[in-house]
Amino acid sequence: MDPLLKLENVSSFIGPFHILQGVNLEVFPGEAVVILGRNGAGKTTTLRTIIGLVPASDGQIILDNIDLTAMPPYQTVRQGIGFVPEDYGIFDALTVEENFLIAMWKEDQDTFDRRDHVLELFTDLKESYKRLASTLSGGQRQMLSIARALVNDNKIILIDEPSKGLAPIIVEKVRDTLLTFKQEKTIVLVEQNFEMACAVGDRFYIITEGRTVLDGTIKELMDDEELQRKHLGFVTA
Ligand SMILES: Nc1ncnc2c1ncn2[C@@H]1O[C@H](COP(=O)(O)OP(=O)(O)OP(=O)(O)O)[C@@H](O)[C@H]1O
Ligand SMILES: [Mg+2]
């Protein structure tokens, strides 16, 4: 089976800084792949480079046999990538409904049907549908950001640290949401919350100083405390 998403030796710069220096990644259809690594390792930059927000300077990015390497973001998202950024990326001055409508770039019946389906899953958003996004709690904002990525017929969803800054009980809710749609979607998840990473992920990649240095199954990672200590700086209880 061919990977749905493949990054081969990808490099990218932010200004003069050579941030990604060799990222290799394969994501197969239906998988949830977790990207792990210490602060500043290049996890967010990897997602931003896939989308094209940071241009790749070397290497190749392929999604479903389409070369994304030189594509600008407005085209990459139309190839079927949903992006849930770290800061949610929602519009505070707009209502929940308007945030949905902006995301729904294909205004066909299927998209509206998916929107209705997503609102059944995210009951908080259904209740606050006509309210300004600025009135939502942190957890609801995260849910809106995830929901927005689900309204389009995306082949893959990239999610950057969905647990960050949320209370443990809300993190559990986010985890359950990811577990629900993991059954239908292919996911790339950046996550420093080890429990969340292990609950959602099938395989992992570790990034160190802009390079993928190791990959394996989540089970291999959970069984290997030395690996956790060396690359992630902690051991689980
Ligand atoms: N706008 C910028 N200007 C200069 N350097 C940057 C910029 N954005 C990121 N970097 C650097 O790029 C490197 C990778 O950053 P990135 O945000 O991808 O890391 P990360 O793995 O997502 O970290 P975190 O766990 O803190 O979210 C870091 O060393 C960071 O300082
Ligand atoms: Mg980050």
Side-chain angles (χ1 to χ4, degrees):
M1 191 180 11
D2 285 339
L4 177 63
L5 176 69
K6 181 168 176 150
L7 275 67
E8 207 165 22
N9 206 20
V10 169
S11 280
S12 63
F13 286 78
I14 298 179
F17 304 107
H18 195 179
I19 306 294
L20 297 191
Q21 306 191 26
V23 170
N24 293 287
L25 188 74
E26 286 189 336
V27 185
F28 292 88
E31 268 196 315
V33 164
V34 183
I35 299 179
L36 301 160
R38 296 181 188 228
N39 289 338
K43 304 180 298 294
T44 295
T45 307
T46 297
L47 299 190
R48 290 174 61 85
T49 304
I50 295 169
I51 293 285
L53 291 165
V54 176
S57 57
D58 201 2
Q60 209 175 30
I61 304 170
I62 306 286
L63 177 75
D64 206 9
N65 296 316
I66 295 169
D67 191 341
L68 305 184
T69 318
M71 268 189 205
Y74 75 89
Q75 283 180 356
T76 57
V77 296
R78 280 163 170 67
Q79 307 309 315
I81 308 183
F83 183 38
V84 183
E86 204 170 10
D87 62 0
Y88 313 140
I90 59 181
F91 296 98
D92 275 351
L94 302 182
T95 63
V96 171
E97 177 179 31
E98 289 163 345
N99 270 278
F100 269 96
L101 292 174
I102 280 191
M104 294 157 60
W105 58 269
K106 221 191 223 179
E107 294 185 20
D108 57 5
Q109 191 55 44
D110 281 353
T111 304
F112 282 94
D113 289 348
R114 261 193 309 276
R115 190 263 325 257
D116 294 344
H117 177 64
V118 164
L119 283 174
E120 293 306 319
L121 284 178
F122 296 80
T123 46
D124 273 16
L125 298 180
K126 194 174 181 184
E127 280 164 24
S128 48
Y129 200 56
K130 298 286 179 189
R131 294 207 337 240
L132 288 178
S134 59
T135 65
L136 300 180
S137 69
Q140 289 167 335
R141 299 159 78 77
Q142 180 67 76
M143 294 297 187
L144 175 55
S145 186
I146 294 172
R148 209 182 37 176
L150 294 173
V151 292
N152 297 315
D153 188 20
N154 287 316
K155 295 174 183 158
I156 193 162
I157 315 252
L158 315 179
I159 311 174
D160 199 355
E161 297 213 40
S163 69
K164 200 172 186 178
L166 300 180
I169 184 128
I170 309 297
V171 172
E172 278 178 29
K173 229 175 145 177
V174 173
R175 183 199 59 203
D176 290 347
T177 305
L178 297 187
L179 285 173
T180 304
F181 76 76
K182 168 193 156 95
Q183 300 176 14
E184 303 163 19
K185 296 281 174 190
T186 306
I187 300 173
V188 178
L189 174 67
V190 168
E191 187 51 77
Q192 304 236 61
N193 178 322
F194 195 66
E195 270 180 31
M196 171 90 116
C198 293
V200 177
D202 300 311
R203 288 194 305 121
F204 72 93
Y205 283 80
I206 291 177
I207 297 190
T208 301
E209 293 177 5
R211 290 187 176 85
T212 34
V213 292
L214 204 68
D215 64 273
T217 65
I218 286 289
K219 174 147 186 2
E220 284 163 355
L221 177 67
M222 286 168 82
D223 290 345
D224 193 339
E225 288 192 0
E226 180 56 30
L227 193 158
Q228 295 167 25
R229 198 168 11 237
K230 183 163 174 223
H231 289 288
L232 308 172
F234 58 82
V235 282
T236 50

